[in-house]
């Protein structure tokens, strides 16, 4: 999974290289300004995000998978929680974004594993046993009251 | 600050020469501050600053904006170390400081002088003091300000141990400011107030630069892609030690050093650069990790060091130690690598992943 910090590192490396080779690095200065905003990929359309990635030299076959990482559900949650992004600021259709096939797996994983700890899960057998115990307890208490 | 306020908030009045003492030299006024702020810098610093901010908010806005606009003069460190270039120093130079505009390189004393000059314009509710930790022309400089609610020191230049970056670098990259140090005597309520306004003003001051995405994207469309060549020319791949791959590895190592990335983190960053980011793709054939025996033994050196073996498309093999600056990047021929493997000087970390060598 790549994140924006990886892109900043890549851009910084390119600046060092280009400066040493006396090559133009105007492109990198513009990208530096764009990447200054941690939430930039939620604020620009996919085509523009691809342009930034391509200008950074990311190969065509890696564009999609890297873009998905940058706008992942985890990344969205992190930015929202740290007040670096509000839902209103995003130009992406957040309500539907994470329902697409690519993201559904991720969300399901979060719901199933992170939010419902496996240890606390009750099997059907345990549930029936619990109800049965409750009923028995009630009957015993009633009997006690009768005495 | 009025006398009445000083009595009411005695703890906040920290930067008074008489009360602090030590080796610090304070600059409240005098010849060292007798200059005019460059007009271009002034315009850019105040750009977009709302008028209804409190003095503390204005002071922070200016701090963040100066960090964003100016950069550190790296030559100063090198020249200071080598002690050759006498042009550099912290002596006050009116002409030089008045020429500092957005994008200029500065050192600690320039920043502090300029920042104090800006803050002196904010009126009597705030007092700003620049100070050096010893003689003004040979020591590091810092700055601070106090009001009736806030008292703090600011060091935008020094890399903070806890985070590994300074504000002059971090703020340009949207990182949380680390050079602001509130006075320990500040009340919890006032500290909370400071944290709240830092959060608010930081976004207002620094975030503004990245607002006009469309403009940046349009500019980006116009600039050509980088055509990687080395300073030896396009065919430099054939020249050992000066190939594009060699120089890309060197640039990568410098980035790691700048960010203080070492060990496993450096290895995982290299893998990310090679695979998902494709930085070395045009020039690299294969890579593998290995242990290299260190023949020069002393008390401080380890017997084996982890290296990355990178095979270029030209057949050259680069042995790279990401943690080592000097002699941390050697270029081998195929025969040399074979010999090193045969003698056990180099041992693959995982024998499944080896650099493919031609059979003779």
């Amino acid at each position: 999974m790549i994140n924006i910090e990886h892109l900043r590192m890549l851009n910084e490396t390119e600046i060092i290289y280009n400066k040493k080779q006396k090559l133009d690095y105007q492109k990198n200065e513009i990208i530096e300004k764009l990447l200054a905003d941690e939430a930039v990929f939620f604020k620009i359309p996919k085509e523009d995000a691809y342009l930034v990635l391509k200008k950074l030299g990311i190969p065509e076959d890696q564009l999609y998978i890297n873009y998905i990482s940058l706008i992942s559900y985890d990344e969205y949650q992190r930015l929202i929680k740290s007040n670096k992004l509000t839902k209103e600021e995003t130009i992406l259709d957040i309500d539907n974004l994470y329902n697409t096939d690519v993201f559904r797996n991720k969300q399901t994983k979060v719901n199933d594993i992170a939010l419902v700890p496996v240890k606390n899960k009750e099997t059907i057998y345990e549930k029936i046993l619990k109800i049965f115990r409750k009923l028995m307890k009630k009957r015993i208490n009633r009997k006690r009251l009768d005495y | 600050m009025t006398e009445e306020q000083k009595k009411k908030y005695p703890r906040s009045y920290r930067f008074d020469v008489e009360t602090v003492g030590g080796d610090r030299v304070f600059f409240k006024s005098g010849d060292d501050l007798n200059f005019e702020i460059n007009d271009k810098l002034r315009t850019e610093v105040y750009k977009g600053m709302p008028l209804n901010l409190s003095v503390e908010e204005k002071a922070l806005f200016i701090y963040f904006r100066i960090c964003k606009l100016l950069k550190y003069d790296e030559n100063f460190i090198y020249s200071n170390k080598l002690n050759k270039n006498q042009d550099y120093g912290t002596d006050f130079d009116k002409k030089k400081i008045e020429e500092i505009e957005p994008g200029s390189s500065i050192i600690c004393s320039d920043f502090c002088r300029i920042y104090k000059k800006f803050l002196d314009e904010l009126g009597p509710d705030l007092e700003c003091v620049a100070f050096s930790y010893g003689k003004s022309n040979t020591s590091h400089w810092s700055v601070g300000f106090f009001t009736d609610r806030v008292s703090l020191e600011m060091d935008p230049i020094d890399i903070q141990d806890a985070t590994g970056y300074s504000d002059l670098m971090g703020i340009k990259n949207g990182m949380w400011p680390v050079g602001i140090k509130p006075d320990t005597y500040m009340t919890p309520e006032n500290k909370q107030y400071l944290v709240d306004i830092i959060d608010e003003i930081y976004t207002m001051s620094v975030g503004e630069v990245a607002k006009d995405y469309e403009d940046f994207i349009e500019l980006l469309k116009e600039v050509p892609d980088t055509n990687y060549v080395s300073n030896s020319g396009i065919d430099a791949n054939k020249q050992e030690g000066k190939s594009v791959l060699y120089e890309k590895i060197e640039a990568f190592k410098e980035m790691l050093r700048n960010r203080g990335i070492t060990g496993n983190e450096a290895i995982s960053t290299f893998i990310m650069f090679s695979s998902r980011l494709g930085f070395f793709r045009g020039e690299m054939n294969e890579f593998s990790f290995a242990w290299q025996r260190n023949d020069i033994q002393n008390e401080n050196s380890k017997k084996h060091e982890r290296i990355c073996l990178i095979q270029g498309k030209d057949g050259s093999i680069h042995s790279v130690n990401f943690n080592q600056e000097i002699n941390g990047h050697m270029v081998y021929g195929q025969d040399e690598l074979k010999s090193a493997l045969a003698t056990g000087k180099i041992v693959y970390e995982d024998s499944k992943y080896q650099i493919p060598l031609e059979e003779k």
Side-chain angles (χ1 to χ4, degrees), chain B residues 177-300:
Chain B
V178 290
I180 300 173
K181 296 160 193 168
D183 189 337
T184 48
Y185 297 121
M186 272 174 66
T187 62
E189 295 79 36
N190 285 346
K191 274 187 184 165
Q192 189 54 51
Y193 166 72
L194 180 62
V195 170
D196 291 345
I197 61 170
I198 286 176
D199 203 13
E200 192 183 328
I201 300 300
Y202 184 74
T203 318
M204 199 185 285
S205 173
V206 183
E208 190 215 42
V209 182
K211 267 182 188 169
D212 301 324
Y213 296 113
E214 283 175 14
D215 294 345
F216 286 132
I217 295 291
E218 284 309 311
L219 279 171
L220 200 57
K221 280 178 186 167
E222 286 168 21
V223 293
D225 294 338
T226 306
N227 182 18
Y228 285 113
V229 292
S230 83
N231 56 16
S232 310
I234 292 168
D235 293 331
N237 262 325
K238 289 168 188 168
Q239 296 176 32
E240 191 178 294
K242 286 183 179 175
S243 64
V244 172
L245 179 60
Y246 185 93
E247 282 162 351
K248 275 192 170 183
I249 293 169
E250 285 298 296
F252 176 72
K253 282 185 75 185
E254 192 174 326
M255 182 277 294
L256 294 179
R257 275 202 303 279
N258 291 347
R259 288 171 168 257
I261 301 172
T262 56
N264 283 341
E265 204 189 336
I267 297 282
S268 64
T269 310
F270 173 78
I271 295 170
M272 188 65 84
F273 266 58
S274 310
S275 54
R276 296 285 288 272
L277 301 178
F279 182 64
F280 300 105
R281 192 178 272 198
E283 299 81 25
M284 187 177 75
N285 192 23
E286 285 285 346
F287 69 88
S288 179
F289 297 105
W291 296 97
Q292 182 170 265
R293 194 178 64 221
N294 185 358
D295 289 335
I296 309 156
Q297 292 295 312
N298 63 44
E299 283 179 7
N300 298 323

Side-chain angles (χ1 to χ4, degrees), chain A residues 1-2 5 8 12-14 16-18 20-21 26-27 37 40 48 55 59 61-62 65-66 69, chain B residues 173-174 213 216-217 220 223 225-226 228-231 244 247 252 254-255 259 272-273 276 281:
Chain A
M1 290 281 283
I2 70 154
E5 203 52 35
R8 286 174 179 163
E12 191 181 324
T13 309
E14 282 201 359
I16 294 168
Y17 181 91
N18 292 336
K20 276 190 180 166
Q21 304 307 314
Q26 192 195 351
K27 166 196 91 176
D37 182 355
V40 62
D48 291 346
K55 287 283 180 184
D61 60 337
Q62 296 293 321
I65 197 156
N66 283 331
S69 290
Chain B
N173 293 304
Y213 296 113
F216 286 132
I217 295 291
L220 200 57
V223 293
D225 294 338
T226 306
Y228 285 113
V229 292
S230 83
N231 56 16
V244 172
E247 282 162 351
F252 176 72
E254 192 174 326
M255 182 277 294
R259 288 171 168 257
M272 188 65 84
F273 266 58
R276 296 285 288 272
R281 192 178 272 198

